[in-house]
């Protein structure tokens, strides 16, 4: 992870570890658990509000997933996630109403969830999920941004969907992975601090060189990064 601004509003959730402004590496055997979350939240708002929004959202998500009953179908799980989104959006929005310093604070969210033997991915905003397979990088998520509405591929800091941030009807792209996780696959989750500064073809080259999440963040800073930079890279063994 990297930080250009004095206050880092990004946060990463890796299993049960919350990470902000530091490097972290771990291994997980799915045989030892029936659920986990890997996610990146990119906070926004004045003062320290973005930092609060990203932390509250990931903390809430972590405990929500851990408290889910076992054996939900994919459809039931989807419904529960939509209820969670509405709930956490109300929490973030209410804090802004109570504390003027947190007014209009919000956050994006992109993540991968393992539950009941299946993998799902989710997205709200313009943080991104990529798959790196057989040397090729592919963006799986769709940016919820003004440029996407205009049919443009370049990144935009004007987002059309987020948690909090004055968004009254946020939505969550939430899908079960249609392609099985294959040995050798690598997945990248990142805030726009990375994807704004490092083109996809450059990220692809770095991943071909087995770059870590920290190396990707360094590449964004070397390119003149003007925003917080957060990335999470995980590989399927």
């Amino acid at each position: 992870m990297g930080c250009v601004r004095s206050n880092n509003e990004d946060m990463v959730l890796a299993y049960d570890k919350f990470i902000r402004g530091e490097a972290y590496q771990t291994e997980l055997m799915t045989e030892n658990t029936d659920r986990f979350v890997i996610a990146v939240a990119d906070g926004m708002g004045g003062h320290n509000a973005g930092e609060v929004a990203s932390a509250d959202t990931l903390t809430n998500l972590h405990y929500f997933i851990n408290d889910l009953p076992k054996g939900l179908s994919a459809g039931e799980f989807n419904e529960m996630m939509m209820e969670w989104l509405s709930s956490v959006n109300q929490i973030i929005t209410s804090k802004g109403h109570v504390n003027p310093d947190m007014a209009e604070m919000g956050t994006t969210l992109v993540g991968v969830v393992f539950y009941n033997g299946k993998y799902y991915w989710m997205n709200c905003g313009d943080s991104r999920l990529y798959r790196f397979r057989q040397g090729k990088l592919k963006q799986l998520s769709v940016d919820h941004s003004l440029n996407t509405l205009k049919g443009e591929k370049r990144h935009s800091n004007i987002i059309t969907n987020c948690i909090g941030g004055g968004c009254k009807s946020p939505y969550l792209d939430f899908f079960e992975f249609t392609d099985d996780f294959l040995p050798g696959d690598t997945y990248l989750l990142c805030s726009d601090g990375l994807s704004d500064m490092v083109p996809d073809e450059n990220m692809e080259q770095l991943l071909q060189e087995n770059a870590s999440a920290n190396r990707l963040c360094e590449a964004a800073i070397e390119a003149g990064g003007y925003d917080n930079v957060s990335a999470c890279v995980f590989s399927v063994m």
Side-chain angles (χ1 to χ4, degrees):
M1 298 173 62
C3 179
V4 175
R5 293 178 178 171
S6 59
N7 180 50
N8 189 354
E9 297 181 319
D10 292 358
M11 180 169 275
V12 175
L13 168 59
Y15 313 127
D16 58 356
K17 175 77 171 178
F18 296 93
I19 308 151
R20 173 174 276 148
E22 62 180 301
Y24 176 72
Q25 184 174 342
T26 189
E27 294 183 359
L28 178 73
M29 302 294 291
T30 55
E31 291 85 355
N32 299 329
T33 183
D34 68 339
R35 65 193 70 189
F36 64 79
V37 182
I38 303 172
V40 172
D42 181 358
M44 66 197 83
H47 304 279
N48 295 327
E51 178 180 340
V52 173
S54 60
D56 283 3
T57 295
L58 290 186
T59 301
N60 194 296
L61 176 64
H62 173 65
Y63 287 109
F64 172 80
I65 294 297
N66 282 344
D67 289 342
L68 282 175
K70 294 183 178 181
L72 294 176
S73 67
E76 291 170 332
F77 189 23
N78 186 299
E79 290 180 8
M80 295 284 285
M81 288 302 304
M82 299 309 148
E83 292 177 6
W84 171 80
L85 177 66
S86 177
S87 173
V88 75
N89 187 64
Q90 290 178 1
I91 291 170
I92 299 299
T93 300
S94 295
K95 277 196 172 184
H97 290 159
V98 172
N99 186 343
D101 288 345
M102 297 182 182
E104 301 294 303
M105 73 173 179
T107 184
T108 68
L109 174 68
V110 64
V112 173
V113 182
F114 176 74
Y115 170 79
N116 200 29
K118 296 179 180 179
Y119 287 92
Y120 302 83
W121 67 267
M122 65 181 125
N123 179 54
C124 179
D126 64 348
S127 293
R128 292 181 175 181
L129 170 65
Y130 293 89
R131 183 184 66 207
F132 181 68
R133 173 178 287 175
Q134 297 179 346
K136 298 297 181 182
L137 186 68
K138 178 181 180 181
Q139 182 180 345
L140 300 183
S141 61
V142 174
D143 297 344
H144 301 155
S145 68
L146 186 60
N147 276 340
T148 300
L149 291 177
K150 291 181 177 180
E152 301 174 0
K153 291 187 177 181
R154 61 188 179 87
H155 219 38
S156 170
N157 59 3
I158 302 176
I159 60 175
T160 57
N161 183 36
C162 63
I163 297 170
C167 188
K168 296 181 179 180
S169 300
Y171 59 94
L172 190 69
D173 289 343
F174 187 77
F175 299 100
E176 181 180 347
F177 276 93
T178 54
D179 293 337
D180 293 336
F181 273 45
L182 301 179
D185 283 355
T186 294
Y187 289 84
L188 166 64
L189 298 90
C190 65
S191 64
D192 65 350
L194 175 61
S195 53
D196 271 354
M197 300 308 303
V198 183
D200 286 7
E201 55 268 27
N202 291 22
M203 285 193 279
E204 182 178 270
Q205 177 64 38
L206 287 166
L207 289 171
Q208 289 171 353
E209 300 168 0
N210 297 316
S212 65
N214 209 49
R215 177 67 191 98
L216 289 164
C217 291
E218 289 172 354
I221 295 172
E222 291 165 3
Y226 56 82
D227 198 357
N228 301 145
V229 188
S230 294
C232 181
V233 176
F234 68 97
S235 299
V236 181
M237 308 300 290

